[in-house]
Amino acid sequence: MTILVTGGAGFIGSNFIFYERAHHPEDRIVCVDKLTYAGNLSTLAPVLNDPMFRFYKTDICDRKAVYAIFEEEKPDLVVNFAAESHVDRSIENPEIFLQTNIIGTAVLMDACRTFGVGRFHQVSTDEVYGDLPLDRPDLFFTEETPIHTSSPYSSSKAAADLLVMAYHRTYDLPVSLSRCSNNYGPYQFPEKLIPLMIANCLSDKPLPVYGQGLNVRDWLYVEDHCKAVDLVLRKGAVGQVYNIGGHNEMRNIDIVRLICQELHKPESLITYVTDRKGHDMRYAIDPTKIHRDLDWLPDTKFSDGIVRTIRWYLDNRDWWGEIVSGEYQSYYERMYGNR
Ligand code: NAD
Ligand code: DAU
């Protein structure tokens, strides 16, 4: 079988490719990635010479190029991880989010229709449900929670989700959708909370916490997300949405304090900065459906996963050191310079 994976040079896509090669070595993987600032070919070094792996540097919005790849590779299954994924960048400049996240998804689904692909799986996010209040810990996002977005990023992901369901109903395209909570683990780009705080801690730089740091996110180790996507892709029902999360809610400030503690750095590095515009308060996934229907449960406890993640960043300074020395510098200055 051939599985076409888009966005495989990014954080979750690369972890998914490693997961597939380890658990399904009989399947070929074709990776399509534009290599934006968030994509890093060196991440894929362990599989680049693998005869069961092929890489195309291609924009998923480029219809002609995408169709040519489908013609050549004849994928059986397609998983779409490719996206502009950072909320702060979407607030700064929404347009590319609409282009990649919405148009790119439509181009891929048109290719799936044209070439008779057996399953199109869209990797979505819990952010499409909006947020929950801090004083209602009894509330969780289920697959029936209405779409209610806050940022240009989440709105673009929600638009793609609606298109996916529309292609299923209108064209009978065999689709599935998963909506996961916040991931952490190896190869996450250092603009996101956990790797940014680790990298700053290691350089004794201020740790910029938005607002009062009381916002809550529901953290899942990336490999557990990959295992869930693999299950939905192979065994999930067509036309269904599956929420993915491990009931691990934490306040941002507690995550940052934990990172300081693990790295033996003083909490005086913590700096409270101007809040993110439209900042969602709390995300919390109810994963009952994927557990009940596909027997999925996370394997990694946060206390183990965070230590493993910090260790990975300590052991792989070259990987992120190169990133933070390039274009990231001007991004960081724009985002945090006068905050
Ligand atoms: P990422 O930003 O680390 O990686 C995105 C990848 O997509 C990069 O390799 C980039 O080069 C590629 N890409 C971007 N635009 C492209 C285009 N036009 N054509 C081809 N490739 C393109 O993102 P991530 O954190 O790995 O997220 C992957 C997916 O998972 C996204 O769809 C995101 O919405 C979703 N998601 C992420 C999280 C999370 O916590 N990171 C949680 C839930 C869902
Ligand atoms: O919930 C799933 C989503 O999780 C994914 O769909 C997104 O692609 C992914 O980026 C992530 O979105 P968040 O906005 O939750 O992640 P981020 O790491 O940007 O921020 C996590 C929290 O930390 C959020 O409340 C904002 C806060 N934060 C973030 C940064 C980068 C800070 O306080 N300081 C920071 O410097």
Side-chain angles (χ1 to χ4, degrees), residues 85 125-127 153 182 193 208 210 217 252 276 279 336:
S85 70
T125 167
D126 60 358
E127 294 201 16
Y153 162 69
N182 285 62
L193 179 76
Y210 299 166
R217 296 293 183 263
N252 294 339
R276 174 184 278 175
H279 200 172
Y336 297 95

Side-chain angles (χ1 to χ4, degrees), residues 124-225:
S124 187
T125 167
D126 60 358
E127 294 201 16
V128 300
Y129 299 123
D131 63 352
L132 296 164
L134 290 182
D135 60 357
R136 290 294 307 273
D138 56 314
L139 296 180
F140 295 91
F141 298 136
T142 72
E143 288 80 1
E144 276 71 49
T145 301
I147 302 283
H148 185 82
T149 57
S150 310
S151 70
Y153 162 69
S154 56
S155 305
S156 68
K157 293 295 288 185
D161 285 14
L162 294 175
L163 262 183
V164 170
M165 297 317 276
Y167 270 58
H168 175 56
R169 177 162 173 161
T170 306
Y171 305 116
D172 213 16
L173 188 71
V175 304
S176 47
L177 244 163
S178 53
R179 295 180 178 143
C180 191
S181 59
N182 285 62
N183 285 213
Y184 69 101
Y187 299 109
Q188 186 166 30
F189 195 86
E191 67 191 351
K192 305 284 168 64
L193 179 76
I194 289 180
L196 184 145
M197 295 301 168
I198 298 173
N200 281 18
C201 252
L202 290 172
S203 314
D204 297 306
K205 282 173 63 175
L207 308 176
V209 171
Y210 299 166
Q212 296 177 286
L214 302 179
N215 307 63
V216 169
R217 296 293 183 263
D218 184 358
W219 294 95
L220 185 72
Y221 192 63
V222 63
E223 200 174 290
D224 283 322
H225 184 190

